[in-house]
């Protein structure tokens, strides 16, 4: 099968969160299964664009209302990512430093989708599947099925994978004329709550919908930022497929970002070396348990509660624990997390910002990783933590529920029910008690490193969905 993935992110080209990791890995694993998977994404002004060689495969124009933009599509020449990568370059719209967060994101992602479809519409052959990821590519199923320019693509099955239903990309009907022409009687397929809603439209128009974990699929019929009834209605064509992780990028034995690589056999000495190096850099005590949080500092992740949770834990533990945070997001949370550094020197530290290498070092060097998420469609951090022998402390929700079993239930992690300071505080206490039993900790570390969360299984599950 020839599968075209459309996405706003793809590691290592451009990554903000887990979407990038998934789109950087799934196509590679689909190719290993002898399919031909390709990725089409915007050309941002990233290092990857400047450090690699490309050829131009398409040159055209995108019209948005009265504005015209030149669109070029570049193909990365060497297939170095394990799949063909195509970058859609639209001067003045997409070639910016950041992936998201601009006032004209609607125009940016709309132009991206139109340029990509204009290009595919010119191909002599047609792909077997168009696979869209999240709302930034959510108008593609509608356009393929309804726009006159793409009529000859309309038999191609379209799949939507929902990585996060909180973000839907809504915009006003005043921008309807940006879309290529279609029969206006079909405009209802774009609508949700009196707006054009790309995520809702994709849920209506895609032939199949997948969520990134089975539990999340159950949850969104009850809680999905206003789309609950739509999910319930389209449940019949929806499947939950748990994300995998890229075992080649996330391999503690060969990870070039670590101080020292390690295997199941050498996990104790390996983690010790990585923990000591981290503690040196961040002025922490490597003889004490090291708790960490890595991620976007937003409400979904429970990040607003972290300052209070950490304050309480550090007060109560009387110097017996360390905490290290890596993240960026809401400025108020960033400030409060930074402020704790001055209150608890030598026991707490925070790196506010994005740092891929540091994230690897933390997964390797930490004892516990906290994920008190309010919403977690899948979550990759807990799977990276497991692979690097770090015990996850997670809320029982979404993909966290599908991947972490509590030690009290014969499992290997620490789970709590709610995102509040008491539940998380209690979980931190349970982890501390566990840490005192080093024999048990060593046993768990060895066990969790052998859990198989690689993409092999999920890559095939997607192929099965395409063929349903
Ligand atoms: P989400 O996509 O909702 O942010 P995931 O758990 O699926 O959550 O994936 C988050 C990804 O982003 C992981 O690869 C994680 O290591 C990475 N990440 C998040 N914040 C940072 C950061 N500040 N620095 C480096 N990596 C980060
Ligand atoms: C989203 C979700 C996260 C998931 C990731 C990759 O960003 O918030 O839970 O792991 O997508 O699918």
């Amino acid at each position: 099968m020839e599968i075209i993935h459309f996405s706003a992110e793809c590691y290592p080209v451009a990554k903000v969160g887990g979407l990038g990791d998934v789109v950087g890995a799934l196509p590679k694993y689909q190719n290993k299964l002898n399919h031909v998977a390709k990725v089409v994404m915007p050309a941002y002004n990233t290092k990857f664009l400047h450090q690699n060689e490309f050829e131009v495969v398409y040159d055209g124009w995108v019209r948005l209302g009265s504005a015209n933009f030149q669109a070029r599509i570049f193909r990365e020449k060497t297939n170095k990512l394990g799949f063909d990568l195509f970058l859609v370059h639209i001067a003045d719209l997409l070639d910016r430093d950041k992936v998201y967060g601009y006032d004209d994101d609607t125009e940016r992602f709309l132009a991206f989708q139109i340029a990509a479809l204009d290009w595919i519409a010119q191909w002599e052959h047609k792909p077997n599947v168009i696979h869209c990821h999240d709302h930034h590519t959510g108008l593609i199923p509608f356009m393929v099925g309804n726009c006159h320019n793409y009529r000859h693509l309309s038999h191609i099955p379209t799949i939507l994978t929902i990585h996060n239903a909180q973000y839907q990309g809504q915009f006003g009907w005043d921008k309807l004329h940006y879309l290529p022409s279609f029969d206006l009687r079909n405009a209802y397929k774009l609508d949700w709550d009196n707006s054009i809603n790309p995520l809702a439209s994709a849920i209506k128009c895609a032939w199949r919908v997948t969520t990134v974990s089975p539990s999340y699929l159950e949850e969104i019929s009850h809680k999905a930022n206003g789309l609950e009834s739509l999910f319930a209605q389209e449940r019949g064509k929806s499947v939950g497929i748990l994300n995998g992780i890229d075992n080649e990028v996330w391999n503690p034995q060969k990870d070039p970002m670590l101080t020292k690589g390690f295997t199941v056999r050498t996990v104790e000495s390996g983690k010790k070396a990585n923990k000591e190096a981290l503690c040196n850099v961040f002025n922490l005590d490597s003889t004490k348990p090291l708790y960490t949080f890595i991620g976007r500092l937003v409400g979904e992740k429970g990040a607003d509660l972290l300052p209070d949770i950490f304050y309480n834990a550090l007060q109560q533990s009387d110097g017996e624990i360390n905490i290290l945070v890596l993240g960026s997001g809401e400025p108020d949370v960033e400030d409060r997390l930074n402020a704790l550094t001055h209150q608890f020197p030598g026991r707490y530290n925070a790196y506010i910002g994005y740092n891929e290498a540091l994230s690897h070092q933390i997964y390797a060097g930490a004892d516990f990783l906290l994920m008190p998420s309010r919403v977690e469609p899948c979550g990759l951090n807990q799977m990276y933590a497991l692979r690097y022998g770090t015990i996850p402390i997670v809320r029982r929700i979404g993909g966290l529920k599908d991947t972490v079993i509590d030690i009290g239930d014969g499992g290997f992690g620490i789970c709590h029910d709610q995102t509040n300071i008491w539940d998380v505080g209690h979980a931190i206490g349970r982890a501390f008690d566990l840490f005192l039993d080093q024999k048990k900790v060593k046993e768990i570390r060895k066990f969790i490193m052998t859990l198989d969360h690689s993409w092999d299984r999920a890559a095939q599950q997607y192929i099965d969905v395409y063929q349903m």
Side-chain angles (χ1 to χ4, degrees):
M1 292 185 103
E2 182 176 359
I3 306 139
I4 314 292
H5 291 273
F6 289 95
S7 172
E9 299 179 36
C10 172
Y11 178 83
V13 190
K15 163 177 165 182
V16 176
L19 170 63
D21 286 347
V22 170
V23 179
L26 171 61
K28 186 163 83 180
Y29 282 77
Q30 288 180 326
N31 284 346
K32 286 187 188 168
L33 295 172
N34 291 324
H35 298 284
V36 178
K38 303 176 173 178
V39 171
V40 184
M41 67 180 295
Y44 309 108
N45 191 20
T46 62
K47 261 198 210 149
F48 191 93
L49 182 65
H50 302 295
Q51 291 175 347
N52 291 281
E53 284 198 40
F54 296 88
E55 62 180 351
V56 177
V57 294
Y58 172 79
D59 205 340
W61 292 88
V62 177
R63 175 187 279 279
L64 291 185
S66 59
N68 259 324
F69 298 91
Q70 187 174 26
R72 284 212 169 119
I73 300 187
F74 303 142
R75 188 181 78 88
E76 190 274 316
K77 274 184 169 172
T78 62
N79 205 289
K80 68 191 292 189
L81 303 183
F83 49 82
D84 267 336
L85 170 75
F86 298 93
L87 304 182
V88 178
H89 182 271
I90 303 184
D92 301 330
L93 274 183
L94 295 176
D95 55 345
R96 310 221 182 124
D97 294 347
K98 285 192 303 174
V99 174
Y100 317 114
Y102 299 100
D103 289 343
D104 57 352
D105 277 355
T106 296
E107 286 77 4
R108 296 173 71 230
F109 290 110
L110 197 48
F112 159 62
Q113 296 173 80
I114 294 170
L117 285 183
D118 284 350
W119 168 54
I120 289 177
Q122 292 189 345
W123 289 12
E124 278 170 19
H125 76 286
K126 299 285 168 266
N128 300 99
V129 177
I130 288 180
H131 190 151
C132 303
H133 296 267
D134 273 354
H135 75 82
H136 325 95
T137 60
L139 293 170
I140 287 177
F142 173 83
M143 291 198 285
V144 165
N146 297 278
C147 289
H148 300 132
N149 292 351
Y150 312 130
R151 197 174 284 133
H152 57 298
L153 302 179
S154 64
H155 66 282
I156 304 173
T158 50
I159 309 292
L160 167 73
T161 291
I162 300 172
H163 296 261
N164 199 330
Q166 295 298 110
Y167 305 101
Q168 300 167 7
Q170 305 92 322
F171 56 93
W173 279 101
D174 55 319
K175 292 183 178 169
L176 177 67
H177 63 292
Y178 287 173
L179 271 78
S181 69
F182 61 92
D183 182 342
L184 283 175
R185 281 172 298 183
N186 291 322
Y188 71 94
K189 296 180 194 168
L190 294 167
D191 182 72
W192 194 256
D193 216 4
N194 297 323
S195 295
I196 296 179
N197 184 316
L199 190 71
S201 170
I203 296 165
K204 293 180 192 182
C205 300
W207 295 26
R208 295 275 176 270
V209 173
T210 68
T211 60
V212 290
S213 70
S215 286
Y216 188 56
L217 180 61
E218 297 308 319
E219 289 163 12
I220 50 178
S221 300
H222 312 290
K223 192 168 177 270
N225 212 3
L227 297 187
E228 298 77 6
S229 59
L230 181 61
F231 278 118
Q233 200 177 309
E234 301 291 353
R235 181 71 176 78
K237 67 176 185 190
S238 310
V239 184
I241 300 179
L242 188 68
N243 282 335
I245 60 172
D246 188 334
N247 274 346
E248 290 167 11
V249 175
W250 298 92
N251 178 351
Q253 185 179 6
K254 296 191 179 147
D255 190 333
M257 300 181 212
L258 303 190
T259 302
K260 187 177 175 194
F262 57 95
T263 61
V264 177
R265 206 173 43 78
T266 58
V267 54
E268 289 309 318
S269 60
K271 280 192 84 72
K272 186 164 182 277
N274 284 291
K275 183 175 178 182
E276 281 172 359
L278 256 188
C279 289
N280 266 336
V281 172
F282 288 98
N283 183 32
L284 299 169
D285 180 348
S286 68
T287 64
K288 306 280 159 60
L290 176 59
Y291 295 75
T292 61
F293 173 92
I294 299 174
R296 295 182 292 118
L297 300 174
V298 296
E300 264 173 64
K301 303 282 178 194
D304 48 311
L305 300 181
L306 290 177
D308 287 341
I309 290 169
F310 291 158
Y311 178 87
N312 291 346
L314 289 160
Q315 279 283 3
Q316 287 161 13
S317 67
D318 204 17
E320 289 306 306
I321 68 169
N322 296 296
I323 297 176
L324 178 60
V325 176
L326 166 63
S328 62
E330 285 164 15
D332 165 61
V333 177
E334 292 184 351
D335 290 347
R336 287 160 60 215
L337 286 170
N338 258 336
L340 286 178
T341 312
H342 309 293
Q343 276 175 290
F344 299 98
R347 296 158 61 191
Y348 170 91
N349 217 328
Y351 180 107
I352 301 298
Y354 190 92
N355 188 327
E356 188 74 27
L358 180 57
S359 75
H360 287 239
Q361 288 149 16
I362 296 179
Y363 291 119
D367 295 298
F368 301 106
L369 177 90
L370 286 152
M371 295 184 77
S373 308
R374 291 194 176 88
V375 179
E376 199 61 84
C378 179
L380 299 173
N381 297 14
Q382 79 280 14
M383 296 196 254
Y384 299 144
L386 292 169
R387 182 123 165 91
Y388 284 63
T390 294
I391 299 172
I393 302 177
V394 306
R395 177 172 176 215
R396 286 187 186 88
I397 188 133
L400 299 174
K401 196 159 109 185
D402 294 343
T403 49
V404 181
I405 304 171
D406 192 271
I407 40 172
D409 299 325
F412 46 81
I414 293 180
C415 304
H416 57 92
D417 285 323
Q418 300 302 333
T419 300
N420 61 41
I421 52 176
W422 304 281
D423 270 30
V424 184
H426 181 68
I428 290 176
R430 286 183 63 207
F432 184 75
D433 293 341
L434 173 64
F435 192 79
L436 298 177
D437 183 352
Q438 275 299 303
K439 186 164 166 272
K440 179 89 183 151
V441 169
K442 286 178 186 167
E443 234 172 68
I444 294 178
R445 280 183 186 147
K446 283 198 188 313
F447 176 71
I448 61 184
M449 283 185 72
T450 63
L451 291 170
D452 180 11
H453 281 294
S454 91
W455 268 107
D456 296 318
R457 189 167 12 110
Q460 180 59 48
Q461 284 175 307
Y462 277 107
I463 302 292
D464 296 343
V465 168
Y466 303 152
Q467 289 168 339
M468 265 161 75

